Amino acid sequence: MMRPKSSILAALVLTLVAFTSGVVDAKTLRWAGRGDMNTTDPHSFNENLTNNINSLVYDTLIQRDKGLKLEPGLAVSWQQVNPTTWRFKLRPGVTFHDGTPFTADDVVFSYERARSDTSQLRVYATAAGVPKKIDDLTVEFTTAGPNPIELEHLATIYIMSKVWCEKNRATKPQNFAQKEDMITAHQANGTGAYALKSREPDSATAGRPSRVLNQPRVTLLEP
């Protein structure tokens, strides 16, 4: 639940880019609320406002369309190999905001990270199963038993860069309950439509359209 702060107005300034017939129309959207996102670590704190803002910077394997239906995200297709095994083909040519290529290593790392004891999303990451790299653009998840809502769980966990996290000593999520301060609490490196420009806790968070345009998404499903 969002915690109101009577004396603080948090402002999120983002630039929206609309693509219409190949023409780019840049406008500024200013959003304000009486609360602030709690952290830019996407696996640390499970709260609606925090998750919604992080979703602008980070992507999931499966995402939702405007009608809230599940559709491809960083995974372009998937199939259920057997009752407890799911195989996902990853989107080629995707890079993180720092230019690092997105691969299966990042998926495996992100789910293992989200299963850590400092993650408030570990119940979803655990339910999604154990990830295994098949090749650079293929990942399998093996669940403890049949999971009829596997895709729902995969629409929950944001994918982080393994290289960036290892470089910045952020292989485990920020311990929000213990008020731990680490780089992921105020910096981010995702594959989403927006890159984090600056973060001032309890004051303002600013982003910019990502120079790495990993959009548009392509809908390609396998039974």
Side-chain angles (χ1 to χ4, degrees), residues 2-21:
M2 185 173 68
R3 303 173 183 174
K5 300 180 178 68
S6 59
S7 62
I8 298 173
L9 181 66
L12 173 67
V13 182
L14 296 173
T15 303
L16 296 181
V17 179
F19 294 90
T20 305
S21 301

Side-chain angles (χ1 to χ4, degrees), residues 127-138:
V130 178
K132 177 184 177 181
K133 174 183 177 180
I134 304 302
D135 57 45
D136 281 347
L137 293 176
T138 308

